[in-house]
Amino acid sequence: MTTPTIDLFTSALHFHPDGDVRAAERRMTSSDSGAWQIATFHVETDADVHADHWEMHPEAEEAVCCLTGGIRLHFRPDTPGGAEDVVRLRAGTAVIVPRGRWHRLELDAPSDLMSITLRHGTRLEKRTDTH
C-alpha cells in the first residue's frame, strides 16, 4: 500500500477526538467536526490574512506560527479606546492566542504561516474604528 502525501498549502490536517487524523478542506470559520485543525498558508498581502477582520476562537487557544517571512499579530483592546497589543513574529516563531481573545494579522513580508486550533465557534467581526 502506498501512503499518499498531503499538500499542506491546499488541505488541512484534522485531528479528531477518537485519535484519527485526516486530510480535509481548510476551514477558517466555525466547524462542528470536533477536530483540531492544522493549516498552513502562503500569504502575500494583508487581504490574504483578513487584516480588516477580528477573529476569535471561544473554545480553544490558537497557535499562530510564522514559518517564513514576518507578521504582526494584533490583539483587540479589552477596553474601548485602549491600545492594541502587538506581537511581532519572525520566521521560526509562534505565539499562543488565548481562548476567546479577539485578534488579527498584518504582514511585514510575504510569509508562510501555520495555524493550530479547534475551529468550533470561531467568529469573525469586521474591523471598525470604534475598537
Side-chain angles (χ1 to χ4, degrees):
M1 178 176 127
T2 302
T3 303
T5 61
I6 300 160
D7 181 346
L8 293 176
F9 289 101
T10 60
S11 297
L13 296 177
H14 285 191
F15 288 72
H16 293 267
D18 63 3
D20 286 349
V21 178
R22 298 183 202 115
E25 179 183 349
R26 288 190 302 197
R27 297 194 56 136
M28 297 314 295
T29 56
S30 184
S31 169
D32 291 329
S33 72
W36 282 76
Q37 176 177 270
I38 296 178
T40 55
F41 309 89
H42 178 75
V43 291
E44 296 276 337
T45 69
D46 284 344
D48 295 333
V49 292
H50 61 76
D52 62 341
H53 280 77
W54 293 103
E55 179 181 59
M56 188 267 287
H57 312 287
E59 298 200 13
E61 294 178 333
E62 178 182 22
V64 176
C65 311
C66 181
L67 305 175
T68 65
I71 65 169
R72 289 164 306 207
L73 189 136
H74 296 258
F75 291 101
R76 188 159 82 183
D78 291 328
T79 58
E84 295 178 7
D85 290 328
V86 180
V87 176
R88 285 189 180 273
L89 296 177
R90 58 176 170 54
T93 63
V95 68
I96 306 298
V97 177
R99 176 189 324 239
R101 186 75 194 266
W102 288 96
H103 60 283
R104 65 183 181 86
L105 301 176
E106 290 181 342
L107 300 184
D108 288 332
S111 303
D112 291 324
L113 307 177
M114 181 171 55
S115 166
I116 305 165
T117 195
L118 184 65
R119 305 251 15 129
H120 186 262
T122 291
R123 293 173 46 197
L124 287 177
E125 186 176 286
K126 183 79 170 161
R127 186 175 166 222
T128 68
D129 293 330
T130 60
H131 287 123

